[in-house]
Amino acid sequence: MRPLAIALVAVLLAAGCSAQRRDKITVACGASERCSMMVKRFSDATGVEADFVRLSSGEALARRGLKPVRSWTDLLDERLRGGVAIAHPATSGTAYTALWTQALLNGGDQDAALAYMRRLHPNVLRYNASGSAAAVQAAKEEAAVGIVFSHDCVAAQEQGYPNLEVTFPQEGTGYELGGLALLSGAHSPAGARTYVDWALSGASQRLGPLVRFYALPTNTEVPAHSKAADPAAVKLVPYDVEAAEPPA
């Protein structure tokens, strides 16, 4: 956890207040080496006795009474200050999907969607270029929550971070359909068309799980992997792909 974020997740517990005894605090911290140094320097500088207990982000949030996020409103909780990982919608389809979802949840009102993002801003750790990076940040406890497509979180779980939990916003959430197209003026259009046909084939779309990619296949003859999200169990917004397309 970053040094500046320590104060954001610190749990201060009063351990004595008699006149004969110095004040003492206990800091819940996720970075042992830094915390050991910081509490010592703090005590030397202020005279206040300090100790620390090592807690991961998840453990610290659980002790502050925060449960796994299950709604877009939960992400605005001030206790998540600097704890939400998300990409920037100008560079990431994942983040743009999240932005457009807010518009749809507000009856298509784009100003309302931007207003939500402004309210979320104080809680954002930083804006990544890539949407999947937020899963890694949550996995490594740099952030408490990552806004990602669900299969990115599942992939992180398989890479050795079993404490991650996939949740979906109860108000509804957006989704994407992976795009595939032949560019005008391609040097080898025949070969490109062959690739498009192959990419849509069952043989191709069965490859995803081999690289921990558990998105739903678009080929209806390919069964969904058991680790893929079940659309029937998730509340989805009526996502209009053409309306969501940003202006050129």
Side-chain angles (χ1 to χ4, degrees):
M1 184 172 292
R2 302 171 305 147
L4 292 179
I6 292 173
L8 298 176
V9 299
V11 180
L12 304 182
L13 306 175
C17 57
S18 65
Q20 291 79 21
R21 184 176 180 181
R22 294 190 300 171
D23 291 336
K24 181 178 180 180
I25 64 170
T26 300
V27 180
C29 178
S32 301
E33 298 81 5
R34 296 190 186 116
C35 286
S36 177
M37 177 186 69
M38 290 182 68
V39 295
K40 183 180 186 304
R41 295 289 181 88
F42 170 78
S43 295
D44 292 343
T46 65
V48 177
E49 188 177 353
D51 199 355
F52 78 95
V53 58
R54 167 67 170 87
L55 289 178
S56 67
S57 300
E59 291 174 310
L61 291 171
R63 291 198 180 192
R64 299 170 77 205
L66 279 178
K67 297 180 180 179
V69 170
R70 300 187 185 278
S71 77
W72 293 107
T73 302
D74 288 348
L75 289 171
L76 304 178
D77 194 314
E78 63 180 10
R79 291 174 292 178
L80 284 174
R81 262 323 135 87
V84 177
I86 186 174
H88 196 287
T91 61
S92 162
T94 303
Y96 187 82
T97 300
L99 172 61
W100 190 251
T101 296
Q102 296 308 313
L104 296 175
L105 290 174
N106 286 279
D109 189 338
Q110 297 182 31
D111 289 335
L114 292 173
Y116 173 86
M117 298 304 289
R118 283 191 289 269
R119 292 174 63 195
L120 177 66
H121 177 72
N123 288 358
V124 174
L125 172 66
R126 61 176 173 269
Y127 293 98
N128 306 310
S130 165
S132 60
V136 177
Q137 289 169 318
K140 293 184 176 180
E141 300 177 354
E142 296 174 8
V145 183
I147 301 177
V148 295
F149 286 120
S150 60
H151 56 78
D152 288 327
C153 190
V154 174
Q157 290 174 329
E158 289 202 336
Q159 290 169 3
Y161 301 98
N163 292 329
L164 287 175
E165 180 177 349
V166 179
T167 61
F168 296 94
Q170 61 188 12
E171 303 97 326
T173 190
Y175 55 92
E176 73 165 359
L177 294 175
L180 182 65
L182 170 60
L183 296 179
S184 176
H187 295 297
S188 303
R193 290 190 183 94
T194 301
Y195 177 81
V196 170
D197 292 339
W198 177 83
L200 297 174
S201 70
S204 169
Q205 299 204 1
R206 286 185 173 87
L207 298 176
L210 298 181
V211 289
R212 299 191 179 101
F213 185 74
Y214 300 110
L216 295 169
T218 54
N219 188 315
T220 56
E221 296 182 359
V222 178
H225 193 276
S226 61
K227 294 184 179 180
D230 180 3
V234 180
K235 185 176 181 180
L236 300 175
V237 297
Y239 204 92
D240 187 329
V241 176
E242 291 186 1
E245 184 178 355

